[in-house]
């Protein structure tokens, strides 16, 4: 039964990119990128967007949503055939994180390689000067994070009066990160005659409200998160307390099948601690989190992408939008305190038709998080080794305010309770 569901959700369609009506330079770039068929969101969204519709897309990374909005944007910009004035932009794409902004920019480069558009990324954490220089000549496409964008508008380095395309990516994350007022402010500065797209992985009431404000009679496409991540990922949980998590991570990494691994922690300090531990175990690892400079994050990500580092340790926010192919395993060293984040995390593996394995560690304080996750994904994670033991302890603070120390080494009531090594086999995924 589950098997049929899996088959139905493999993210390719029987349409072709040619049928969707995209222009030749774009089709050529897609052939170069070896994309054979559109994903469901692409097949649905592209014709609507070529028609000029507004779109409310409920989809997360891994569905092919970036191409779903970038391809028609490139097509439409070429059709319009106008040039931007100095300091003006024709299209604005807003992303909550720098990593996501850079990734969108990479997609524009990939899909637009046979076209001649001027595009740039504007984001915090790096020098403003080259961004200003790029803006002065005017841009066809600007990818931006909200804070820096507003700074540049206030400094009159950028005007939005010519912007006819507005794309808001990961709107729910904008909300989580406290950017929503900035987003509203930016939207108010745009011309009313424009095409607007809003993408969000989830659809809380605030996002629906925002959609009502900025979209005009939108089309709506919903690609269920379950179809992209949950069903194609083999998911396991180990109940471990205290140092047993570290020991288990070391043990798992002795298996070379874990070739490209993202380990998630809730906090920056937690991430640094895991890296230190792995270094002691002679496993190459790098951390990316908000406490590191943009350059350091990018360097770590590049090394991981290139296979020079085997393990990337990340916090949720830093990991958003990370687009690395062929991640073999996701390890949730600490469970996220928001169940949605779990889906985002495990969506890093099993991208674009691949399959993956997600291994979660759950201590006695995290059982509530595990229940939330299982409720959200409507499935129970496979328990590997012994089940939960000892009393449940209260969860750590609900919203982790950055560096938060749970005192793992001196706290856990059941410290050492799971030292016993459990022999297990990573089950292969049964996707198809
Ligand atoms: P996204 O959901 O936009 O983050 O895309 C997820 C991944 O799928 C990226 O690595 C894309 O390069 C890849 N991708 C997007 N569309 C296709 C497609 N039609 N065929 C193959 N790969 C794709």
């Amino acid at each position: 039964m589950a098997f049929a569901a899996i088959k139905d959700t493999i993210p390719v369609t029987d349409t072709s990119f040619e049928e969707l009506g995209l222009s030749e330079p774009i089709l050529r770039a897609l052939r170069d990128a070896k994309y054979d068929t559109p994903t469901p969101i692409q097949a649905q969204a592209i014709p609507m967007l070529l028609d000029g519709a507004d779109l409310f897309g409920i989809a997360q990374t891994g569905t092919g949503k970036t191409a779903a909005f970038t391809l028609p944007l490139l097509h439409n910009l070429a059709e319009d055939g106008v040039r931007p004035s100095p300091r003006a932009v024709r299209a604005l794409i807003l992303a909550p994180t720098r990593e996501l902004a850079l990734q969108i920019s990479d997609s524009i480069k990939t899909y637009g390689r046979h076209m001649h558009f001027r595009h740039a990324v504007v984001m915090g954490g790096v020098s403003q000067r080259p961004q200003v220089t790029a803006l002065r000549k005017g841009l066809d496409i600007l990818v931006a994070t909200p804070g820096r964008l507003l700074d540049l508008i206030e400094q009159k380095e950028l005007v939005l009066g010519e912007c006819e395309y507005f794309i808001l990516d990961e709107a729910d994350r904008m909300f989580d990160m406290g950017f929503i007022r900035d987003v509203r402010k930016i939207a108010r500065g745009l011309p009313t005659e424009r095409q607007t797209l809003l993408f969000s992985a989830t659809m809380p009431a605030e996002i629906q409200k925002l959609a009502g404000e900025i979209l005009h009679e939108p089309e709506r496409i919903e690609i269920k998160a379950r179809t992209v991540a949950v069903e194609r990922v083999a998911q396991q949980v180990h109940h471990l307390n205290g140092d047993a998590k570290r020991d288990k991570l070391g043990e798992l990494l002795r298996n070379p099948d874990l070739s490209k691994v993202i380990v998630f922690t809730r906090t920056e300090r937690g991430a640094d601690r895991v890296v230190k531990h792995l270094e002691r175990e002679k496993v190459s690892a790098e951390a990316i989190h908000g406490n590191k400079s943009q350059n350091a994050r990018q360097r770590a990500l590049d090394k991981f992408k290139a296979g020079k580092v085997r393990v990337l340790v990340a916090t949720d926010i830093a990991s958003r939008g990370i687009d690395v192919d062929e991640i073999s395993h996701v390890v949730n060293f600490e469970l996220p305190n928001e169940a949605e984040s779990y889906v985002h995390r495990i969506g890093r593996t099993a991208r674009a038709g691949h399959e993956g394995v997600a291994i979660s560690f759950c201590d006695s304080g995290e059982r509530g998080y595990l229940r939330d996750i299982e409720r959200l994904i409507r499935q129970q994670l496979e328990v590997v080794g012994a089940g939960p033991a000892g009393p449940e302890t209260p969860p750590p603070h609900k919203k982790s305010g950055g560096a938060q120390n749970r005192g793992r080494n001196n706290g856990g009531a059941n410290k050492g309770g799971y030292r016993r090594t459990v022999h297990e086999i990573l089950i292969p995924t049964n996707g198809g």
Side-chain angles (χ1 to χ4, degrees):
M1 182 199 80
F3 199 74
I6 289 165
K7 285 231 148 166
D8 289 343
T9 55
I10 285 175
V12 290
T13 56
D14 49 17
T15 334
S16 68
F17 282 109
E18 283 77 9
E19 282 170 71
L20 299 180
L22 294 164
S23 63
E24 189 47 43
I26 297 176
L27 293 174
R28 197 148 31 107
L30 291 170
R31 284 195 293 271
D32 298 342
K34 308 224 167 3
Y35 287 12
D36 301 327
T37 44
T39 66
I41 192 167
Q42 292 162 3
Q44 289 175 57
I46 292 171
M48 293 169 179
L49 296 175
L50 291 179
D51 260 359
D54 278 9
L55 176 69
F56 188 2
I58 301 137
Q60 65 168 83
T61 347
T63 53
K65 74 179 158 70
T66 316
F69 65 73
T70 309
L71 300 173
L73 176 65
L74 292 167
H75 180 107
N76 289 338
L77 286 170
E79 291 272 294
D80 299 346
V82 290
R83 305 296 312 153
S85 312
R87 294 192 171 79
V89 297
R90 298 173 62 203
L92 172 64
I93 304 174
L94 275 189
T97 63
R98 304 158 192 178
E99 281 81 7
L100 183 62
L102 288 174
Q103 247 161 57
I104 295 171
S105 167
D106 283 345
S107 299
I108 295 169
K109 278 184 215 147
T110 305
Y111 309 136
R113 59 184 296 202
H114 302 298
M115 305 169 101
H116 304 284
F117 289 125
R118 291 174 42 74
H119 103 268
V121 184
V122 148
M123 57 187 193
V126 292
S127 161
Q128 187 177 294
R129 193 169 310 186
Q131 301 175 3
V132 168
T133 311
L135 283 169
R136 288 204 175 144
K137 297 183 201 149
L139 293 170
D140 295 293
I141 307 173
L142 178 65
V143 187
T145 53
R148 180 59 65 87
L149 184 83
L150 280 176
D151 287 349
L152 289 163
I153 293 174
E154 268 154 33
Q155 294 165 33
K156 309 228 175 332
E157 295 291 352
L158 164 64
V159 289
L160 294 178
E162 289 178 24
C163 183
E164 292 186 38
Y165 300 91
F166 176 44
I167 298 164
L168 184 58
D169 201 6
E170 299 201 346
D172 49 352
R173 188 54 43 164
M174 295 273 191
F175 208 94
D176 294 345
M177 294 175 69
F179 285 148
I180 219 70
R181 280 175 62 183
D182 288 352
V183 169
R184 285 202 161 92
K185 204 161 159 192
I186 292 163
R188 279 197 299 274
L190 293 165
T192 39
E193 271 300 296
R194 61 167 200 251
Q195 184 179 37
T196 308
L197 283 55
L198 184 156
F199 288 91
S200 188
T202 57
M203 210 190 15
E206 305 92 330
I207 297 300
Q208 298 203 44
K209 182 159 174 274
L210 179 71
E213 290 163 24
I214 66 172
L215 299 172
H216 176 67
E217 296 177 7
E219 299 282 357
R220 199 185 136 114
I221 298 177
E222 183 164 2
I223 304 289
K224 290 243 167 31
R226 303 192 61 205
T227 67
V228 290
V230 178
E231 289 181 2
R232 295 209 322 279
V233 178
Q235 297 167 70
Q236 306 168 335
V237 60
H238 297 253
H239 288 275
L240 302 164
N241 284 309
D243 289 347
K245 285 192 176 189
R246 275 182 12 190
D247 297 346
K248 176 56 77 178
L249 182 63
E251 183 195 319
L252 289 171
L253 285 167
R254 267 169 239 143
N255 179 349
D257 288 350
L258 280 80
S259 54
K260 212 169 194 184
V261 184
I262 301 194
V263 175
F264 283 100
T265 60
R266 272 192 304 272
T267 66
E268 293 163 0
R269 275 169 75 167
D272 287 336
R273 276 202 299 267
V274 170
V275 168
K276 282 214 183 75
H277 174 68
L278 291 178
E279 280 167 354
R280 279 198 295 272
E281 299 260 316
K282 307 267 182 295
V283 175
S284 59
E286 292 260 2
I288 58 164
H289 54 59
N291 230 353
K292 295 206 159 188
S293 73
Q294 175 60 21
N295 281 341
R297 283 150 75 171
Q298 195 59 46
R299 266 200 310 276
L301 195 55
D302 289 343
K303 280 204 243 168
F304 181 62
K305 275 191 181 179
K308 289 183 195 138
V309 161
R310 184 171 162 214
V311 180
L312 189 69
V313 186
T315 55
D316 288 297
I317 285 181
S319 81
R320 283 296 293 216
I322 288 179
D323 181 14
V324 180
D325 288 333
E326 284 153 26
I327 288 176
S328 65
H329 295 70
V330 166
V331 177
N332 293 309
F333 191 84
E334 294 169 329
L335 288 177
N337 51 10
E338 284 167 25
E340 302 282 356
S341 298
Y342 175 83
V343 177
H344 285 294
R345 288 177 175 193
I346 73 166
R348 308 293 110 194
T349 185
R351 321 266 317 212
H354 296 111
E355 287 159 7
V357 182
I359 302 166
S360 298
F361 296 168
C362 177
D363 68 21
S364 50
E366 294 174 313
R367 288 184 208 153
Y369 299 158
L370 180 62
R371 280 194 298 274
D372 289 347
I373 289 164
E374 293 183 331
R375 208 172 298 135
L376 176 76
I377 64 175
R378 283 180 251 133
Q379 111 187 26
Q380 292 210 308
L381 307 198
E382 178 202 357
V383 178
V384 181
E392 187 168 336
T393 56
H397 293 299
K398 188 76 183 141
K399 288 269 176 196
S400 59
Q404 168 201 28
N405 187 354
R406 297 197 52 214
R408 213 170 269 292
N409 294 333
N410 49 24
N414 299 295
K415 184 180 168 198
Y418 286 96
R419 290 247 174 185
R420 176 161 46 110
T421 305
V422 183
H423 179 77
E424 83 257 1
I425 309 155
L426 295 180
I427 52 156
T429 52
N430 61 347

